[in-house]
Amino acid sequence: MKPVRFKRLGRTALFGAIITCLVIIADNRGWLAPMERLLYDARALSCQFFSPPATDRIVHVDIDDAALEANGAWPWPRSVLASIIDEITNAGASVILLDIFFPEPQPPTYNPLPDATFEQVEHDAILADSFRRTDRLVLPMSLTMGETASPLEQAVSELLREDLEAEQSLVVQRLRRTDARADLAVEVERVWTRARERAAYERIVDLSGYETMDLADLRRALLPRTDPSISGSPLIRLLQRQHRKALANRAVAALSRQPDPSLAAMSPLMAATGEQASLAEFAAAARYCGFVDYLPFSDGVLRSVPLWVEHRGRLVPQAGFALACATLGVDANDPRQVSLAENQIVLRPASAEPIVVPVSVVRTRLGRRGMFFDVPWFGGRRWESMYGSDEQGRAKRHISINAPRELWLKRQRAARNNLAADEAATALLRGFLGDPEAAAEIERQPAPADDYAARASRIEHILNEAAAFYDGYKALAPGELEEDDRRFVSAYEALSQVRKSTPALMREVESLSGDLRRELRGKAVIIGMVATGSMDVVNTSLHPRCPGPVVHGVIANGLLSGHVWRRAPAWVTPLATLTFGLLATAATAFLPPWRALASAGVLGGGYLLMNGLVLFDYGDIILGIAGPATAVALSWAGCTLFRFIAEAAERTRITSRFQCYVDPALVEYVVDNPDLVRLEAHRQELTVVFVDLAGFTSLSEVLREEAVPILSEFMGTMVPIIRRHRGYVNKFLGDGIMFFFNAFRPNPRHAADAAEAVLEMRQALEVLNQRLRQQALPTLSMRAGINTGDVILGDAGPPEASDFTALGDAVNFAARLESANKPFGTSVLMGQRTANLIREEFLLSPIGRLQVAGKREWVEVFELIVPVQQASDLQVFYSRMAAKIVEAYQAGKFEQCLSICESLPPELRELKLFSSYASWCRQHIKSPPVDFAGQITLVDK
């Protein structure tokens, strides 16, 4: 026995090892990537117990819903943004990342002046000046990554580079020389716009001196056949746009990095196939640049980003990385301060230890690409509260852009008040107080517009000096004042209003300015759109819709706080998969099933906890989790299944042997319940059926021993029918069968199943009779008794020779019903309980109150005819007449009963059932019965 057992264990262990190796292969080929991503996201969300606190050096200035409601729909005038950036700069922000693009110039606007002229507002120039004042501003750049132009688009672009003015039909004609597809014109139409933009851009960049060319020179060089007098020419507008784009990209390139010679030995970086930059004047005014695009995984979730991307021969950093470098005082474009390697980036701040940033090589649609950084997410499901909340529930490190905007508006209001005060003071000094030299001094050396303190004493002095004049003028009626008097009153009241309102306004400015300084001094500021409906959102491991500026902040936070995730070496995950898969295999092979399951659960759960809490959370190490977890689960499941199959094969062999002797239902029940030594007797409701062949004795007298095959055929036909209707064949009684329903599995339709089985058996018997007729042999008929009731079900007899059977009055009565068919001339009789259960589905005919031999009580008995939906009119009429006859007989109305019997059609009147009732009625009319209850007593069993 032991060799067999060890052989089975060895096969199980080998099977588990094969499963483990297959899991390693599947994981290596990326087939477990969806599961790995889900578990990655689960770790990022749930495993943050040991994560360090977020840095306090980053603040988000959000363009939120409140800002849009207060300042109008986006985009705002760029002069408004300039004022906001100036306030942020004045508040002491160390670096500003402006996650907003300005690819097109903004037309100037004109503000009316008091002298009926207009002041031209050059919004772009104002914003560029603000950038220069900021000095440490990171300008965003949009790069298209991972997408390449189709071969057709490239071909169209090449043809257009030769001639930008070529018609679309001519390009299609040239392409047909090598491309014969029927829908070529439609496909060219689809890529035409992109191909022409690409061709125009490349022609401009190839053109020497394009930086200093104006539009006319550019048109003459690239569009010689285009009439310059055509207003709004699409080609000229295209040239103008692409010229601006080329200038912008050239200016941004000056902010990017030259490739290092050491990069040649590394995995290639992601290459940008398209770009969008802000206007050249903005790039020239900025200090740094960074791309703000993301490359989500195939499921649309952002988990890692490239920190450097190649763009037209230059290296562009990610915006959050550029922000962190600027905050640390590191020049990202200087190889001595930021060195790049295959698996790490090293930052070398001047006054701190080097910072090692782990990066990895990942598999993308374009192959393996380097410099990818796993975004170290923190916080919960709400990005607004990633940095925590204050006592009022407001998100920390997030302020609305309304704050600097409101400060600037109040500062401008105070400045306008101060200038109005200067104008009123000058008017009063020169015209009424007789001090023109003081008025000239104010005009020669005006105080700063926002400095009320420098004006306060002068305003107070002038108002005191002019108070007597003002009181005198105010005492006069309005019609008595001269024009000069009215100007005096107006100037005095204006100066008085300034003295009244401006100090409070300046206190508000100082308060708001102090609040902003406390929030922003020395901080890296990220300005970006977070309002509802913003298109700049990404799906991350924590947030289904996370604003892009927030992601930049998470990346910068990781670098500034040192909370970065490192990927374990590539060989560690397969080793872990092999180890845990083999451990699960050993547990399943050598332990009982429940212990094996517990062991697999401990292995899988332990690995999940170790990976999530110890390695990922505490150690900041990313190690594959799907492979080992899958290996444990599949090794346990596969080996368990292998063991069960082997045991099932053995059970099937034993079962097939015993099914030759007993009903398969009993065998299956015993196999499913191996702990049962005996099937203990218990009370249960069953539907019991006895069937018997009428006429088989005559047939056996004719055929003798040759009748046995016919009986075997009968049994072989009927037994499958019984089992198909969930019946249990209990005994073969010569040419009869005892079977019952509802024995092993609960069956609420046990009575209906019994009726259906008997009716189908009767139909099958007719097929057998047809063959007997063809052989000129006597035919057979079948009688059946069906009864439902509580019986004693279980093993009967000694343990060494027990028999599973049903005992009780209900069983005996079913047998009596089978034999009662003979005196009534029926074929299927059933008791009251059975009839109650199936009368909605089957057509039944009442037989009467039957009192069998040996019983004092009578029972209502019914004949089973056919299913209700199959009943013919004659059968329905038969049932109805039987009901009337039985009702009259049981009521003692013998003359009425006899009359009904005699009125029946001849084919019914001659039936044994009705002729018997007619005979009994005549007898009772002649000799009325005593203690009659409508019963029919059968003397024979």
Side-chain angles (χ1 to χ4, degrees):
M1 190 67 181
K2 289 184 178 180
V4 174
R5 182 172 180 270
F6 285 129
K7 185 176 182 181
R8 185 178 63 193
L9 291 177
R11 289 178 177 176
T12 303
L14 177 61
F15 188 68
I18 293 173
I19 290 177
T20 301
C21 293
L22 291 177
V23 170
I24 294 174
I25 294 172
D27 195 16
N28 184 59
R29 295 196 173 187
W31 296 343
L32 302 182
M35 178 181 176
E36 187 70 62
R37 293 165 187 160
L38 290 176
L39 294 172
Y40 182 101
D41 297 342
R43 280 179 295 180
L45 176 64
S46 303
C47 300
Q48 297 186 20
F49 301 101
F50 302 101
S51 299
T55 180
D56 61 354
R57 301 173 70 179
I58 297 175
V59 177
H60 290 266
V61 177
D62 298 330
I63 304 174
D64 53 13
D65 293 334
L68 295 181
E69 183 177 354
N71 299 282
W74 190 261
W76 299 338
R78 290 173 186 172
S79 57
V80 171
L81 283 176
S83 67
I84 292 170
I85 292 174
D86 285 342
E87 291 296 346
I88 293 173
T89 301
N90 294 335
S94 62
V95 188
I96 298 176
L97 168 58
L98 185 63
D99 192 8
I100 304 171
F101 290 102
F102 310 101
E104 299 291 337
Q106 189 173 73
T109 57
Y110 298 88
N111 294 336
L113 298 176
D115 59 357
T117 60
F118 292 88
E119 175 190 22
Q120 181 173 315
V121 180
E122 294 288 350
H123 299 282
D124 288 346
I126 293 173
L127 184 59
D129 289 341
S130 176
F131 287 177
R132 279 186 281 270
R133 287 190 294 272
T134 299
D135 184 51
R136 303 187 73 189
L137 183 130
V138 180
L139 193 67
M141 185 176 189
S142 177
L143 299 177
T144 304
M145 295 178 287
E147 297 181 5
T148 57
S150 65
L152 178 63
E153 183 179 334
Q154 293 178 5
V156 173
S157 179
E158 287 298 323
L159 291 175
L160 288 175
R161 284 191 65 179
E162 299 173 5
D163 183 5
L164 279 177
E165 297 170 303
E167 296 290 336
Q168 186 172 330
S169 57
L170 179 60
V171 171
V172 173
Q173 182 180 351
R174 292 179 178 177
L175 289 173
R176 287 199 183 279
R177 298 171 185 172
T178 56
D179 193 336
R181 74 177 86 175
D183 60 344
L184 181 61
V186 176
E187 291 297 311
V188 170
E189 173 71 24
R190 184 175 58 83
V191 303
W192 180 259
T193 300
R194 293 195 305 270
R196 193 162 66 170
E197 288 177 348
R198 179 195 298 268
Y201 180 87
E202 292 174 351
R203 285 292 305 276
I204 292 171
V205 172
D206 292 343
L207 192 64
S208 176
Y210 75 89
E211 302 91 345
T212 58
M213 283 187 177
D214 60 17
L215 186 60
D217 295 336
L218 205 62
R219 180 195 57 76
R220 283 191 292 270
L222 300 180
L223 303 176
R225 300 192 303 274
T226 300
D227 187 353
S229 64
I230 299 177
S231 176
S233 168
L235 280 175
I236 294 178
R237 290 202 305 270
L238 171 67
L239 209 62
Q240 187 177 10
R241 289 196 305 272
Q242 298 306 313
H243 185 225
R244 281 199 301 268
K245 180 178 177 180
L247 292 176
N249 289 335
R250 182 176 181 276
V252 170
L255 303 176
S256 60
R257 174 172 175 167
Q258 287 282 3
D260 300 342
S262 60
L263 293 179
M266 294 168 47
S267 296
L269 305 182
M270 287 297 301
T273 57
E275 63 283 303
Q276 183 184 48
S278 296
L279 296 173
E281 58 188 298
F282 296 133
R287 179 88 173 269
Y288 312 100
C289 77
F291 69 87
V292 294
D293 308 273
Y294 304 109
L295 191 68
F297 284 66
S298 59
D299 60 353
V301 178
L302 175 69
R303 299 182 180 88
S304 62
V305 298
L307 293 186
W308 289 91
V309 167
E310 183 181 0
H311 172 245
R312 298 188 182 275
R314 308 278 294 190
L315 301 183
V316 182
Q318 199 278 334
F321 179 83
L323 178 68
C325 289
T327 305
L328 294 168
V330 172
D331 185 358
N333 295 330
D334 187 349
R336 294 169 299 179
Q337 300 184 47
V338 178
S339 60
L340 310 180
E342 178 83 7
N343 59 355
Q344 67 181 24
I345 300 172
V346 181
L347 311 182
R348 295 183 174 85
S351 58
E353 292 295 320
I355 299 172
V356 178
V357 181
V359 293
S360 57
V361 178
V362 303
R363 202 183 283 114
T364 70
R365 295 188 298 271
L366 303 178
R368 294 171 61 83
R369 295 291 183 266
M371 291 291 169
F372 271 79
F373 174 74
D374 288 281
V375 181
W377 305 109
F378 61 93
R381 285 291 188 189
R382 298 182 67 250
W383 60 263
E384 298 92 335
S385 57
M386 291 180 68
Y387 299 92
S389 303
D390 59 17
E391 293 79 4
Q392 288 76 33
R394 294 173 299 192
K396 292 182 178 179
R397 311 294 175 214
H398 282 273
I399 64 173
S400 173
I401 203 170
N402 267 347
R405 175 63 175 166
E406 182 181 0
L407 172 60
W408 183 84
L409 289 174
K410 290 185 179 297
R411 197 189 298 277
Q412 290 300 107
R413 182 180 168 191
R416 287 194 298 270
N417 286 354
N418 289 333
L419 294 177
D422 289 349
E423 185 179 352
T426 301
L428 292 174
L429 287 171
R430 181 174 285 121
F432 301 98
L433 299 181
D435 194 352
E437 291 185 2
E441 180 65 20
I442 293 175
E443 293 175 341
R444 283 195 305 270
Q445 295 182 351
D450 59 349
D451 189 356
Y452 177 78
R455 297 174 171 83
S457 60
R458 183 173 63 212
I459 291 173
E460 192 67 28
H461 171 74
I462 293 173
L463 289 176
N464 290 336
E465 291 291 325
F469 293 99
Y470 178 75
D471 292 341
Y473 287 137
K474 290 297 290 183
L476 299 176
E480 297 176 348
L481 293 175
E482 300 292 336
E483 180 65 26
D484 289 345
D485 299 337
R486 286 194 293 272
R487 284 200 296 271
F488 171 82
V489 171
S490 176
Y492 184 91
E493 290 180 346
L495 198 61
S496 178
Q497 180 63 31
V498 170
R499 182 183 65 176
K500 178 181 179 181
S501 62
T502 303
L505 187 60
M506 292 305 298
R507 286 193 295 273
E508 289 185 42
V509 169
E510 186 60 30
S511 175
L512 293 175
S513 179
D515 292 343
L516 200 62
R517 281 195 299 272
R518 282 190 292 274
E519 290 279 358
L520 303 183
R521 180 179 295 278
K523 304 297 174 60
V525 174
I526 302 174
I527 303 175
M529 179 72 69
V530 302
T532 304
S534 169
M535 299 300 292
D536 184 16
V537 292
V538 292
N539 185 6
T540 73
S541 296
L542 271 60
H543 323 103
R545 289 181 59 82
C546 182
V550 174
V551 181
H552 305 324
V554 174
I555 295 171
N557 172 79
L559 302 179
L560 295 176
S561 67
H563 180 218
V564 293
W565 295 339
R566 298 168 175 81
R567 288 191 174 270
W571 55 267
V572 178
T573 298
L575 179 61
T577 303
L578 181 64
T579 301
F580 281 86
L582 293 181
L583 288 175
T585 297
T588 308
F590 291 97
L591 296 177
W594 287 111
R595 291 186 180 179
L597 175 60
S599 300
V602 169
L603 285 171
Y607 179 74
L608 292 177
L609 290 175
M610 180 191 71
N611 190 300
L613 296 180
V614 179
L615 296 178
F616 182 81
D617 192 10
Y618 185 79
D620 291 330
I621 297 174
I622 298 176
L623 178 64
I625 193 170
T630 302
V632 170
L634 291 186
S635 295
W636 171 81
C639 292
T640 301
L641 180 62
F642 185 85
R643 289 182 61 178
F644 283 169
I645 289 174
E647 294 172 2
E650 185 68 14
R651 184 177 67 174
T652 300
R653 186 181 67 83
I654 297 173
T655 300
S656 62
R657 281 291 286 172
F658 278 95
Q659 283 179 345
C660 298
Y661 304 100
V662 294
D663 192 288
L666 177 59
V667 177
E668 291 176 6
Y669 185 76
V670 173
V671 171
D672 292 340
N673 299 273
D675 296 333
L676 294 178
V677 179
R678 285 175 58 86
L679 300 178
E680 297 297 335
H682 61 282
R683 184 173 293 276
Q684 183 171 335
E685 183 180 67
L686 299 182
T687 295
V688 184
V689 183
F690 282 85
V691 298
D692 186 68
L693 281 178
F696 186 74
T697 302
S698 301
L699 183 65
S700 61
E701 291 176 354
V702 175
L703 297 180
R704 298 182 183 276
E705 66 275 4
E706 294 180 6
V708 175
I710 296 177
L711 180 61
S712 299
E713 183 178 359
F714 169 77
M715 298 297 184
T717 302
M718 300 309 167
V719 168
I721 295 174
I722 296 169
R723 292 174 178 172
R724 188 163 58 249
H725 289 280
R726 295 182 286 184
Y728 170 72
V729 178
N730 185 240
K731 291 181 178 66
F732 294 106
L733 307 171
D735 57 356
I737 309 173
M738 173 188 171
F739 54 98
F740 44 78
F741 296 78
N742 200 36
F744 303 107
R745 302 285 187 268
N747 179 10
R749 296 190 75 255
H750 54 89
D753 283 346
E756 290 174 352
V758 170
L759 292 177
E760 187 175 345
M761 292 168 68
R762 194 164 61 180
Q763 293 175 355
L765 181 61
E766 182 58 32
V767 176
L768 177 60
N769 282 332
Q770 290 179 5
R771 290 201 297 272
L772 294 176
R773 293 188 191 99
Q774 292 173 359
Q775 300 174 26
L777 294 174
T779 59
L780 303 173
S781 61
M782 187 183 75
R783 295 190 298 264
I786 307 174
N787 189 42
T788 302
D790 289 342
V791 304
I792 304 301
L793 183 67
D795 285 345
E800 63 275 8
S802 62
D803 178 31
F804 179 79
T805 188
L807 303 172
D809 288 343
V811 179
N812 297 334
F813 189 66
R816 301 294 178 82
L817 287 176
E818 180 273 316
S819 60
N821 282 287
K822 187 174 182 179
F824 288 110
T826 56
S827 59
V828 183
L829 292 182
M830 64 179 59
Q832 178 74 56
R833 172 62 177 161
T834 309
N836 291 340
L837 292 174
I838 69 171
R839 63 174 65 252
E840 298 296 329
E841 300 181 47
F842 295 88
L843 179 63
L844 306 179
S845 177
I847 297 300
R849 296 171 180 169
L850 185 63
Q851 183 179 1
V852 298
K855 298 287 291 184
R856 293 183 178 182
E857 297 83 9
W858 49 262
V859 178
E860 289 281 358
V861 176
F862 296 82
E863 179 185 6
L864 174 64
I865 302 177
V866 290
V868 171
Q869 65 271 20
Q870 299 177 14
S872 66
D873 293 342
L874 181 60
Q875 290 170 328
V876 173
F877 179 74
Y878 168 83
S879 175
R880 189 180 301 121
M881 289 299 100
K884 291 182 178 181
I885 291 171
V886 170
E887 182 181 2
Y889 182 82
Q890 291 176 351
K893 300 176 181 180
F894 303 123
E895 290 87 353
Q896 180 183 349
C897 178
L898 180 59
S899 175
I900 296 173
C901 291
E902 292 176 347
S903 65
L904 292 173
E907 61 272 17
L908 295 181
R909 194 183 326 133
E910 296 175 358
L911 292 177
K912 191 170 184 179
L913 174 63
F914 297 140
S915 63
S916 296
Y917 263 100
S919 175
W920 295 330
C921 288
R922 294 188 188 99
Q923 182 180 349
H924 292 328
I925 291 172
K926 292 179 180 179
S927 177
V930 180
D931 297 329
F932 179 73
Q935 73 275 15
I936 301 170
T937 303
L938 295 182
V939 179
D940 298 328
K941 293 185 179 181

